[in-house]
Amino acid sequence: EVQLVESGGGLVQSGGSLTLSCATSGFTFGYSRMKWVRQAPGRRLEWVSSIDRDGTTYYADSVKGRFTISRDNANDTLYLQLNTLKSEDTAMYYCAYAPGASNIGYSYTKRGQGTQVTVSS
């Protein structure tokens, strides 16, 4: 069974940083495209970033230059480094398993329970 468990969210001031982690199991992580998506209250799901098995990365324009996606294939873990956070980054962040999905966009096969990021201004 595919399992995805996010951690690392929290409350941070505008301009601050956080590192999100996603521990995975139940599939061959090193061969899988992975994504981060987010959803703010009252808003639709938004794609944030993707990483291919070869390490190629993709970012939404809203986070490009501020967020960094990475993966540790030895430990089946996905990361998202969030820098220069803004109030509009406040959302629930989800790690997503996305084999066969497009390299951009919020399509995926399964996502985790999420970790909340709240940015205070």
Side-chain angles (χ1 to χ4, degrees), residues 8-14 16-18 85 90 115-121:
L11 174 63
V12 62
Q13 289 189 331
S14 180
S17 298
L18 282 173
L85 282 160
T90 295
T115 187
Q116 177 68 38
V117 172
T118 302
V119 184
S120 63
S121 55

Side-chain angles (χ1 to χ4, degrees), residues 59-102:
Y59 297 95
D61 288 343
S62 58
V63 307
K64 197 172 297 182
R66 299 188 298 120
F67 291 8
T68 302
I69 190 171
S70 61
R71 64 193 302 158
D72 178 352
N73 291 339
N75 291 295
D76 296 347
T77 303
L78 181 71
Y79 299 98
L80 186 68
Q81 175 69 39
L82 293 69
N83 295 328
T84 320
L85 282 160
K86 306 175 182 179
S87 56
E88 52 262 45
D89 295 318
T90 295
M92 185 70 78
Y93 283 72
Y94 301 94
C95 163
Y97 167 59
S102 59

Side-chain angles (χ1 to χ4, degrees), residues 20-35:
L20 307 184
S21 301
C22 175
T24 76
S25 62
F27 62 100
T28 309
F29 177 81
Y31 285 90
S32 303
R33 172 171 287 153
M34 299 295 296
K35 297 184 177 183

Side-chain angles (χ1 to χ4, degrees), residues 5-57:
V5 180
E6 303 92 337
S7 62
L11 174 63
V12 62
Q13 289 189 331
S14 180
S17 298
L18 282 173
T19 301
L20 307 184
S21 301
C22 175
T24 76
S25 62
F27 62 100
T28 309
F29 177 81
Y31 285 90
S32 303
R33 172 171 287 153
M34 299 295 296
K35 297 184 177 183
W36 286 98
V37 297
R38 67 185 181 185
Q39 188 164 27
R43 303 191 67 177
R44 67 176 186 177
L45 192 66
E46 177 186 16
W47 170 71
V48 175
S49 183
S50 304
I51 185 166
D52 288 346
R53 63 182 188 177
D54 66 356
T56 303
T57 58

